[in-house]
Amino acid sequence: MLLTQTSFLESIGQLIVLILLFLFVLVLAYLAARIAGGFQSNALNNKSNIKVIEVFRLSNNKYIQIVKIGEHYLALAICKDQVTVLTQLEESEINKQVASVEPINFKSILDKMKNERKDKEL
C-alpha cells in the first residue's frame, strides 16, 4: 500500500514539473516571437535611415513599396531580380496609418469552434 502511494505522489510531482516546463517553454516562445517581430518591424532600430512605409502585393514575386529613405519618400517596384524606382513622393501625398492590431480573443474563437463541432455532431 505504501509503495502505490509513493508512486502516485511521484507521478503527480512529475506531472506538475512537466506542466511548469511546458509553461516555461511557452513563455520563451512568446518572448522570442516578440523580439523577432521587433527586429522585422524596425522597432528596435529607430535610428535607421530606411523605413518601409507600405507594401502592396501585385503577384507572388511582384510588389509596390513606399519607402522612406532619409527625408525622401520613394515608390518602388520590386520584382524577383529587379528593383525599379517608380516615382518620388512628397510627404503630403502619404497617408500614414497607425498600426492598430486588435487583441485576439481566444474565448470567442474556442466558443465558435465548439459551436461548429456541436453543429457537425447533430
Side-chain angles (χ1 to χ4, degrees):
M1 182 79 176
L2 183 61
L3 182 63
T4 58
Q5 288 179 348
T6 305
S7 64
F8 177 74
L9 291 177
E10 286 178 1
S11 298
I12 295 296
Q14 288 177 352
L15 179 63
I16 291 172
V17 168
L18 185 65
I19 290 172
L20 290 175
L21 186 61
F22 176 71
L23 292 174
F24 178 71
V25 169
L26 280 179
V27 168
L28 286 179
Y30 173 77
L31 292 175
R34 296 287 295 189
I35 291 170
F39 279 119
Q40 288 179 351
S41 69
N42 223 4
L44 296 178
N45 192 6
N46 289 332
K47 296 178 182 178
S48 176
N49 288 313
I50 300 173
K51 291 188 171 73
V52 176
I53 305 298
E54 187 174 343
V55 177
F56 181 77
R57 183 178 180 173
L58 298 173
S59 68
N60 282 343
N61 57 359
K62 296 180 183 178
Y63 301 91
I64 295 177
Q65 291 187 353
I66 298 176
V67 180
K68 181 180 180 185
I69 300 176
E71 295 299 319
H72 301 285
Y73 290 90
L74 300 173
L76 304 175
I78 312 290
C79 298
K80 182 178 179 183
D81 296 327
Q82 186 176 357
V83 176
T84 306
V85 176
L86 298 176
T87 187
Q88 185 170 347
L89 302 169
E90 297 296 323
E91 188 171 359
S92 61
E93 296 176 310
I94 306 293
N95 294 330
K96 294 183 180 177
Q97 298 176 356
V98 178
S100 60
V101 179
E102 296 179 16
I104 298 172
N105 188 352
F106 288 108
K107 183 173 180 356
S108 65
I109 294 171
L110 287 173
D111 290 341
K112 182 179 176 182
M113 291 175 68
K114 286 179 185 178
N115 290 337
E116 288 177 1
R117 187 173 179 188
K118 286 180 184 178
D119 292 343
K120 286 182 182 178
E121 289 177 358
L122 296 176

